Amino acid sequence: MRRLLTVLLALLAVLFTAEAEAKTYKVGVLVPLTGPSADKGIPLKNAAELFAEQFNTGADASGNKIELVVRDDFDDPEKAKAAAAELVKDESLIAVIGHYYPGVALATGKIFADAKIPFLSPNVSSPAAFSGNKWMFAMNMPDSVQGAFLATYIKEVLKKDNVLVIHNTDPFGTALRDAFLDKAARLGLKVLKTQPVEVGPVQKGWVAATLPDAAENQRFGIVAALTHSESGLSFLPQLRDHGIKVPVMAPNTWSNPKFLTEVDEKYTADVYLASAFLWEIANQKASAFASTYAKRFGGRPSVAAAMSYDAVNLVSNAIKAADSSGATRSSVRDYIAGIEWHGFVEGVTGNLFFKNGRDMTAEYVAKYLREAKGVTEPPRPLGETAVQSAYRDVYVSVMKDGRFKTASVQLLIPHEEYVLKELAERIGKGQVTLVDGTPYHVVDVVSVGVDVIRINDVSIKDMQWDVDVFMWFKWAGGRLDAKDIEKIGAINAVKEQSSLFKEDLSHSTKYRAYRKRLTLTAPYDLSNFPFDSQVLPLEIAHINKNSTHVMLVPDTRHMETVPVKDIKPQEWIYTGRSVFSDLYRYDSTFGDPDYRLGTGYKSPVYFSTVNLDINIHRMLKPYLFTFFLPLLIILGIILIILWVPLDQFAPRINATISGLIGVLVYHMSQKNSFPKVGYTMVADYYFLVAYAFVVSMIFAIILIQTMMSKGKKDEAKVWNRRLSLGAMLTAVTIYLTMTFVSMYGA
């Protein structure tokens, strides 16, 4: 007993200590909440609040809380400085999230740096705002990176030349212009004309007045529109009406949905834009975030809002990574600056990291260039560089069919050491291209669509599900052929029957559709059985070409969204579906020696996937007759002992023991129809209550019999009724509570 008390006291001490160590951390949110830019800033605040709420109620927070301190920056430098100065006075503030435009970030940067408080901006991308400030981090890609990439994509993928550059005159536009022109000069990309334009909508007739020379206009091969969306929305139709029909390459600001809803498609044809994040290829976390945000605030969140959500996510990870003394401003800064590619944080906008290890890319490129020139001396050591912005892949999409469609070829910078080690070989094969000292994966994009015909079997016992589907693929040719498409399939399939349904390989966009019957694995969670909901997953990937070769994108535009009505067995209700892209990593090197370089090093190899999740909920009505009713009948029979004379001990005890055996046999028969799982299901708790009820009845009968043997017949009658009815009411109350919690608790 003493040992038991010691253990209990120790457990209580641990619980109280954990509770005492849990802290509330303040995080500032400084965004425009009023004025013309409020529509930009409010989504940032909403996303931050959403993450804080989820973190505070999550199991992995260890009792820690995030408290947001929200302030308005008015998108005004002077007012923002005043708000920032007020924020940093709070010594319990460990980080600040905010600002949408670079002007206010330039004004507040020194204030946060002097206070040594990390500042994460979801949208500011101007290097001038964070350059040299080790306390400020940009979640977005820098303008210098984006401007250079736009020139690279025009030259290497679109194969265009003779560029018309239109740029805004603010820090965003001028930074893009400078980076674009510098890269264009290095690539040999000819820029015919550079035209500045003020921020905001342009006047009618601006293009006609600015570009009056029809002969010069015919020489343009492409337009680089380095502007905010407000300017682009007004001058893009003017360009087209003025006869400039060439492709347009634009920055991430043109992801404004107004281009799709307010501008005619004849104007948006052949408009390409770069972005650090595309909803079309968003991962499962992004899909869940967008769905939750829409339910809470209405409408799809902006890309900047998604980055705001990720910014608070990084702070929360810094809190969880802190030592026993808790997170501080310095520990948050050091954590974020130290995130490397091998230990990235998976956010809704992709894999987040701020440090590229020992800068493997630069080392291997330098080695490749030395070998190409026949130089053998060792390279000079690379110096340490300050970390201010996240490493971001830059994706390109096309305005088409009322959406931002992922372009058919993507250029992604490699970080995998096994790829960089084989740089010369991969460049020779065309898998990697080296552009002005920067290597890029040349990644082919395949659109994948799936429509469910019927669900033939949801096999709980086998942890599988069987489904008939139409599955189709669209691709632009290039390095991919029909044999590659045949190697794209369900990676969680146990069995597959497939037949070609339709195909068209005669156009620039190839198309092939299959009808398939698939038996797929499914990690069912039966802890809430029979009140459970399940997810039926279908994961699609190329068999052996990883994400450095092939990117799969959901063809959601053509996929059906109607409910699946034909589900067998007929005990399930369709509740919805979700489609998303993701990366899948096998726990294997496949024996490929390139994937394991040196002792203890295993390169992470990811495969691009398209995932379809079908959500179903179990019908409760059949289980009223097949599960609950038999159990209640068994328990009800035991209550017959209330009417059996008290002096008839044998019939009374036999009835309860028979009931106990009946519950036990019924429980075992139910368990045999389910897989062996290492946790307790809700159904098990129903049986545990039944066991407790029957055992309590047995003890009650023994107690009553003892009283009868002592001649206390009247007292025995009273206690017989009390104990029997008490046990029955307790069981009913527990059952009702369990049922209510199981059905509505989630």
Side-chain angles (χ1 to χ4, degrees):
M1 179 62 73
R2 181 175 297 176
R3 181 176 295 179
L4 178 60
L5 288 173
T6 303
V7 173
L8 289 173
L9 289 172
L11 288 173
L12 288 172
V14 170
L15 290 173
F16 282 119
T17 302
E19 186 65 27
E21 290 178 351
K23 298 180 179 179
T24 296
Y25 294 94
K26 290 185 179 180
V27 176
V29 176
L30 187 57
V31 294
L33 301 175
T34 56
S37 301
D39 63 326
K40 307 288 188 182
I42 290 175
L44 306 188
K45 174 188 72 73
N46 292 344
E49 289 177 344
L50 190 61
F51 183 89
E53 290 174 7
Q54 293 172 344
F55 176 82
N56 291 343
T57 57
D60 62 344
S62 301
N64 293 312
K65 304 288 183 183
I66 290 177
E67 178 185 334
L68 298 183
V69 182
V70 181
R71 296 290 183 270
D72 192 349
D73 72 10
F74 301 93
D75 194 28
D76 179 279
E78 292 304 316
K79 292 180 179 179
K81 285 171 65 176
E86 190 65 29
L87 272 175
V88 299
K89 290 179 182 178
D90 188 345
E91 295 183 357
S92 61
L93 202 73
I94 63 167
V96 177
I97 313 295
H99 295 328
Y100 190 87
Y101 289 115
V104 285
L106 283 164
T108 63
K110 188 175 186 304
I111 295 173
F112 293 122
D114 290 344
K116 295 184 177 180
I117 184 167
F119 182 86
L120 292 81
S121 178
N123 192 66
V124 172
S125 54
S126 173
F130 52 79
S131 180
N133 182 353
K134 72 173 187 176
W135 293 91
M136 184 171 182
F137 298 92
M139 300 295 295
N140 203 354
M141 57 186 170
D143 297 336
S144 54
V145 171
Q146 183 173 198
F149 179 86
L150 294 174
T152 300
Y153 197 87
I154 288 173
K155 179 73 173 179
E156 298 298 320
V157 178
L158 299 181
K159 308 293 185 184
K160 298 293 182 180
D161 208 345
N162 299 327
V163 188
L164 165 63
V165 175
I166 302 174
H167 68 91
N168 281 145
T169 55
D170 68 335
F172 174 74
T174 54
L176 286 178
R177 177 203 62 193
D178 293 345
F180 184 93
L181 294 178
D182 179 67
K183 179 64 74 171
R186 295 168 68 94
L187 297 178
L189 180 65
K190 187 183 297 183
V191 176
L192 294 182
K193 188 179 183 68
T194 302
Q195 180 62 51
V197 60
E198 293 296 326
V199 176
V202 303
Q203 297 178 348
K204 291 182 178 180
W206 177 83
V207 169
T210 306
L211 304 168
D213 190 338
E216 182 185 46
N217 294 344
Q218 292 302 310
R219 294 176 58 203
F220 296 135
I222 192 169
V223 177
L226 312 179
T227 70
H228 294 282
S229 61
E230 290 81 4
S231 301
L233 285 164
S234 56
F235 72 66
L236 178 61
Q238 293 185 34
L239 281 175
R240 300 309 197 202
D241 290 339
H242 197 58
I244 302 177
K245 309 290 187 180
V246 296
V248 174
M249 190 83 205
N252 61 310
T253 50
W254 283 39
S255 60
N256 189 331
K258 290 183 179 180
F259 279 101
L260 306 178
T261 59
E262 298 181 6
V263 181
D264 194 286
E265 286 191 11
K266 67 181 180 181
Y267 297 130
T268 58
D270 285 331
V271 175
Y272 296 80
L273 61 147
S275 178
F277 173 69
L278 294 177
W279 285 109
E280 188 176 52
I281 55 174
N283 60 25
Q284 188 174 22
K285 289 188 175 183
S287 299
F289 162 67
S291 176
T292 305
Y293 185 100
K295 290 178 182 177
R296 174 75 178 274
F297 303 107
R300 168 167 282 187
S302 63
V303 172
M307 292 190 177
S308 177
Y309 185 92
D310 273 348
V312 190
N313 182 17
L314 288 178
V315 175
S316 76
N317 276 272
I319 291 171
K320 289 184 284 188
D323 58 26
S324 58
S325 60
T328 64
R329 296 177 176 183
S330 294
S331 72
V332 172
R333 196 217 79 85
D334 293 344
Y335 171 82
I336 295 172
I339 303 174
E340 298 190 35
W341 180 68
H342 290 294
F344 62 75
V345 174
E346 185 183 2
V348 301
T349 59
N351 300 331
L352 308 172
F353 63 102
F354 289 77
K355 188 177 180 182
N356 192 22
R358 63 179 188 275
D359 203 353
M360 293 184 299
T361 304
E363 286 186 6
Y364 277 103
V365 170
K367 178 176 180 291
Y368 167 78
L369 293 175
R370 288 197 312 274
E371 292 175 349
K373 295 176 182 178
V375 179
T376 57
E377 72 267 14
R380 288 178 295 179
L382 295 168
E384 289 293 325
T385 57
V387 177
Q388 282 102 25
S389 61
Y391 280 83
R392 289 282 187 182
D393 286 322
V394 185
Y395 300 99
V396 177
S397 60
V398 186
M399 295 183 193
K400 190 174 182 181
D401 301 327
R403 61 189 174 124
F404 297 108
K405 180 182 178 181
T406 308
S408 60
V409 176
Q410 302 292 325
L411 297 179
L412 306 179
I413 296 177
H415 303 287
E416 308 90 337
E417 191 166 1
Y418 76 93
V419 172
L420 295 169
K421 181 187 176 185
E422 301 172 343
L423 199 57
E425 179 182 346
R426 290 174 181 270
I427 289 174
K429 292 180 179 179
Q431 297 170 350
V432 173
T433 182
L434 188 65
V435 183
D436 189 31
T438 302
Y440 293 95
H441 289 299
V442 182
V443 184
D444 293 297
V445 174
V446 179
S447 294
V448 181
V450 182
D451 280 342
V452 174
I453 304 171
R454 71 179 64 86
I455 297 174
N456 303 306
D457 184 31
V458 179
S459 176
I460 296 295
K461 186 173 179 61
D462 297 327
M463 290 287 189
Q464 296 176 357
W465 68 296
D466 189 276
V467 62
D468 286 341
V469 301
F470 288 117
M471 187 181 298
W472 63 87
F473 308 94
K474 299 175 186 175
W475 71 103
R479 287 164 297 277
L480 296 179
D481 56 25
K483 291 183 179 178
D484 281 304
I485 302 305
E486 290 171 358
K487 293 181 180 179
I488 301 175
I491 58 175
N492 64 324
V494 177
K495 188 188 306 180
E496 176 176 339
Q497 297 176 0
S498 179
S499 60
L500 183 63
F501 185 73
K502 291 181 68 176
E503 74 172 357
D504 185 353
L505 307 179
S506 61
H507 297 88
S508 58
T509 299
K510 317 296 182 185
Y511 164 77
R512 176 172 278 188
Y514 296 87
R515 178 163 180 162
K516 295 175 179 278
R517 169 163 286 189
L518 304 168
T519 301
L520 306 158
T521 58
Y524 298 122
D525 181 1
L526 299 175
S527 57
N528 207 38
F529 171 82
F531 305 96
D532 54 320
S533 297
Q534 300 296 343
V535 176
L536 308 178
L538 170 57
E539 303 171 73
I540 302 168
H542 197 285
I543 293 174
N544 52 26
K545 284 192 174 181
N546 59 49
S547 59
T548 68
H549 302 282
V550 175
M551 177 187 293
L552 303 187
V553 176
D555 187 18
T556 52
R557 179 172 179 264
H558 293 95
M559 292 173 64
E560 281 290 352
T561 58
V562 297
V564 180
K565 297 180 179 178
D566 191 357
I567 305 177
K568 295 182 177 61
Q570 295 181 342
E571 60 177 283
W572 299 96
I573 301 172
Y574 169 90
T575 58
R577 75 185 78 190
S578 59
V579 182
F580 55 92
S581 295
D582 217 333
L583 294 174
Y584 181 82
R585 182 180 178 183
Y586 289 103
D587 294 324
S588 173
T589 62
F590 322 114
D592 190 327
D594 293 328
Y595 291 164
R596 191 175 286 280
L597 307 177
T599 303
Y601 175 83
K602 177 183 175 183
S603 180
V605 182
Y606 295 94
F607 287 76
S608 175
T609 66
V610 164
N611 302 266
L612 170 67
D613 283 353
I614 300 294
N615 302 305
I616 56 175
H617 182 74
R618 193 186 299 271
M619 297 179 186
L620 190 58
K621 186 176 180 180
Y623 287 87
L624 296 176
F625 302 98
T626 61
F627 176 77
F628 295 104
L629 186 59
L631 184 61
L632 293 175
I633 289 174
I634 294 173
L635 298 182
I637 291 174
I638 297 172
L639 292 176
I640 294 175
I641 63 171
L642 286 171
W643 289 272
V644 177
L646 298 184
D647 56 0
Q648 300 295 315
F649 175 73
R652 285 164 59 82
I653 197 69
N654 289 340
T656 52
I657 292 176
S658 298
L660 179 61
I661 295 172
V663 173
L664 180 63
V665 171
Y666 181 51
H667 189 190
M668 293 301 101
S669 67
Q670 288 288 320
K671 294 294 286 185
N672 288 336
S673 62
F674 289 94
K676 302 296 186 294
V677 294
Y679 50 83
T680 305
M681 299 184 292
V682 169
D684 293 323
Y685 289 111
Y686 278 85
F687 283 106
L688 289 175
V689 173
Y691 292 137
F693 171 76
V694 177
V695 170
S696 66
M697 293 297 293
I698 291 174
F699 279 111
I701 290 170
I702 294 173
L703 176 62
I704 299 303
Q705 180 62 27
T706 302
M707 296 174 70
M708 290 288 292
S709 64
K710 293 181 179 181
K712 301 178 181 179
K713 187 173 183 180
D714 293 336
E715 188 176 350
K717 287 182 179 180
V718 173
W719 279 104
N720 177 61
R721 186 166 298 276
R722 285 179 180 177
L723 293 174
S724 299
L725 292 177
M728 181 180 68
L729 290 174
T730 301
V732 170
T733 301
I734 294 174
Y735 278 147
L736 290 175
T737 303
M738 288 171 52
T739 303
F740 181 83
V741 171
S742 299
M743 293 180 67
Y744 305 108

